[in-house]
Amino acid sequence: MTAPKTFHVKSFGCQMNVYDGERMAELLGDQGMTATDDANQADVVVLNTCHIREKATEKVYSDIGRLRKHAGALGRSPMIAVAGCVAQAEGAEIVARAKVDIVVGPQAYHNLPDLVAKAAAGVPALDTDMPAASKFAALPARRRVGPSAFLTVQEGCDKFCTYCVVPYTRGAEISRPFDAIVDEAKALVDAGAREITLLGQNVNAWGKDEGQGLDSLIRALDRIVGLERIRYTTSHPNDMTQGLIDAHRDVESLMPFLHLPVQAGSDRVLRAMNRSHSRDSYLRILDRVRAARPDIALSGDFIVGFPGETDAEFAETLNLVDAVGYAQAFSFKYSPRPGTPAAEMDGAVPAEVMDDRLQRLQAALNRDQAAFNAATVGRACALLVERKGKLPGQMLGKSPWLQSVHLITDAAIGDIVDVDIVSAGPNSLGGMARVRAAA
Ligand code: SAH
Ligand code: SF4
Ligand code: F3S
């Protein structure tokens, strides 16, 4: 194989994978390779995969098949690299099952250029090490990003919820050093970012080992000139410190949005999930968050049909939803994952019961999302303009509460404009630019 010249990176799963995908693209770009939007035309295709539910994992294999077929029809046979959480979980099995050229784990992708060179020389290349030295130091500097950028500050998880693969695919909790994060945030702002979302599997556990808190990092980032908005995700209830809650009251650039997964409303189910918080302790955290920042938009994750979940226990999830009033949320059917304790538990919930529960939960969540959106009509807020809309002159931006808002404006991508929210649909809001008083 001649040295590959073009590449395509496709990321699945969570925002941390999106971030990793950007970094892998920067790495390959640094090697003089060019990104292409069409996977079928690329010399190297990186599939940056997710292992969280069975469907996500199976998708990798169907994608590989499809890619081979379509690229093959064009007379091409791209080098295929499987990265991300499936790479970590299945390693050499992927090479055996799908004959891919490269398998690289989430903690090893700084070695991607070497792996590409190896594969080009015809040697199968596999790296799923979790080295003690961080990959971040080996990555090239950030160059060009959109107005809203991701920045991974924490990786891994020590919580071991009984259903979840993340502690195995991403390893133990590690926090990146304070200075490295501040430097990368400044580089992102220089590269065009006005908003940064701090990422971690348990982002609010950042700095815990060193006796620091995410709030101290947020307060430092707040001082970066040109950085207008800060967000963070995903948080675990047990790491929701009072310092971080207070930051929602004190730090103006910290947006009024909190994604705090609860998973279920029944204490018995929460214990079986090893969530190590109760329904009540979770609700009390939200009370404190709302006291600090009354307009905060709340978001969560839910699993229905965990082994042994009864109708009465599921009803407790529904009534927790009623009690909270989420602005948005994600909900999933439980998927047994190999190697996790829950996969060995009795009491599998039948598929049709799971379907019914998911439908009922999503109906409740949609109702609350619509109510939250409707309640913003009439409010004034600042909008970060992120991209062009479908109609002429239309732009799309995000409200402080992470809602998509469309408006007709001559503002450019990256501008922050003051708007009145004038209408609310199920998935987006309509805004109208505020006329500024003449100076
Ligand atoms: N670290 C984050 C995100 C974990 S993965 C957190 O703890 O909140 C994102 C979501 O996927 C989880 O919050 C959970 O709702 C869901 N999830 C994880 N494992 C799952 C499984 N085996 N089946 C179904 N949903 C799952
Ligand atoms: Fe998975 Fe639980 Fe860790 Fe979240 S906290 S990543 S759900 S083990
Ligand atoms: Fe999926 Fe891995 Fe993220 S399993 S959700 S890509 S941490």
Side-chain angles (χ1 to χ4, degrees):
M1 195 186 279
T2 53
K5 294 191 182 64
T6 57
F7 68 91
H8 179 88
V9 180
K10 190 169 174 194
S11 290
F12 307 87
C14 62
Q15 287 135 321
M16 303 198 59
N17 257 16
V18 175
Y19 174 87
D20 291 340
E22 289 171 3
R23 304 301 314 254
M24 285 190 262
E26 288 164 347
L27 255 175
L28 295 177
D30 230 44
Q31 302 292 306
M33 293 174 65
T34 319
T36 159
D37 286 342
D38 183 359
N40 301 323
Q41 297 284 359
D43 296 335
V44 179
V45 178
V46 180
L47 298 174
N48 190 23
T49 61
C50 174
H51 195 52
I52 202 80
R53 283 167 290 275
E54 189 184 353
K55 259 202 191 135
T57 301
E58 286 309 309
K59 196 172 179 334
V60 181
Y61 293 100
S62 54
D63 260 46
I64 292 171
R66 195 166 335 110
L67 177 67
R68 286 230 165 90
K69 191 172 145 216
H70 290 161
L74 302 169
R76 309 177 56 90
S77 63
M79 180 188 290
I80 300 178
V82 176
C85 289
V86 179
Q88 192 65 42
E90 299 196 340
E93 264 177 68
I94 307 171
V95 182
R97 185 172 159 188
K99 311 240 171 346
V100 299
D101 305 279
I102 298 173
V103 174
V104 60
Q107 303 303 348
Y109 67 74
H110 55 294
N111 295 328
L112 195 55
D114 289 346
L115 298 169
V116 169
K118 235 172 133 183
V123 187
L126 183 129
D127 189 346
T128 52
D129 287 354
M130 293 202 175
S134 149
K135 67 186 172 236
F136 292 103
L139 298 174
R142 312 300 312 259
R143 280 199 210 102
R144 249 192 77 201
V145 294
S148 179
F150 289 143
L151 170 44
T152 292
V153 304
Q154 182 278 341
E155 291 195 283
C157 181
D158 296 339
K159 304 286 192 286
F160 291 94
C161 300
T162 51
Y163 50 81
C164 183
V165 295
V166 171
Y168 314 100
T169 63
R170 294 276 174 164
E173 284 182 11
I174 347 174
S175 300
R176 290 180 68 190
F178 186 94
D179 291 342
I181 296 167
V182 173
D183 287 349
E184 189 171 328
K186 286 181 180 160
L188 286 169
V189 171
D190 290 342
R194 303 205 75 190
E195 170 177 279
I196 291 180
T197 303
L198 306 175
L199 299 180
Q201 266 88 19
N202 279 293
V203 72
N204 58 342
W206 179 86
K208 209 159 89 172
D209 300 346
E210 308 280 320
Q212 305 182 79
L214 186 67
D215 51 305
S216 63
L217 182 61
I218 289 170
R219 286 172 198 270
L221 297 176
D222 176 60
R223 291 195 287 274
I224 296 178
V225 176
L227 179 57
E228 307 295 337
R229 293 179 159 198
I230 302 170
R231 303 182 183 275
Y232 61 94
T233 198
T234 294
S235 298
H236 190 283
N238 288 4
D239 292 314
M240 207 62 218
T241 61
Q242 191 57 44
L244 183 54
I245 293 174
D246 291 344
H248 276 285
R249 183 191 57 214
D250 305 336
V251 181
E252 209 194 321
S253 62
L254 182 58
M255 291 293 101
F257 187 94
L258 175 63
H259 181 67
L260 196 67
V262 63
Q263 314 298 353
S266 136
D267 281 335
R268 193 208 58 85
V269 173
L270 289 171
R271 269 195 305 277
M273 288 177 162
N274 191 34
R275 285 292 295 179
S276 65
H277 60 78
S278 66
R279 170 196 179 90
D280 190 55
S281 68
Y282 176 83
L283 290 172
R284 277 185 288 127
I285 294 165
L286 296 189
D287 288 342
R288 285 192 283 136
V289 172
R290 279 195 160 130
R293 183 77 207 219
D295 70 334
I296 198 140
L298 296 169
S299 164
D301 289 347
F302 296 87
I303 295 175
V304 303
F306 188 78
E309 185 187 65
T310 64
D311 283 336
E313 286 165 346
F314 171 66
E316 291 188 73
T317 298
L318 286 179
N319 88 19
L320 178 133
V321 166
D322 291 347
V324 173
Y326 289 94
Q328 59 159 71
F330 302 94
S331 46
F332 311 99
K333 288 189 270 189
Y334 167 71
S335 170
R337 308 304 291 127
T340 60
E344 311 294 316
M345 290 179 187
D346 296 332
V349 173
E352 61 279 11
V353 176
M354 279 222 223
D355 288 339
D356 175 66
R357 286 182 189 169
L358 188 67
Q359 250 178 35
R360 286 160 64 198
L361 177 59
Q362 290 186 339
L365 292 168
N366 290 342
R367 171 204 68 200
D368 289 351
Q369 180 167 346
F372 184 88
N373 286 344
T376 34
V377 176
R379 276 196 203 170
C381 68
L383 213 69
L384 173 59
V385 178
E386 294 186 11
R387 56 195 171 87
K388 286 202 167 87
K390 284 199 196 103
L391 305 175
Q394 191 187 50
M395 301 296 270
L396 290 176
K398 288 276 163 59
S399 77
W401 308 285
L402 207 64
Q403 298 146 300
S404 288
V405 183
H406 52 83
L407 83 162
I408 303 292
T409 175
D410 50 16
I413 290 172
D415 285 354
I416 292 180
V417 292
D418 290 325
V419 301
D420 289 310
I421 304 294
V422 293
S423 63
N427 298 314
S428 70
L429 306 177
M432 209 193 276
R434 301 201 107 192
V435 183
R436 270 185 219 143

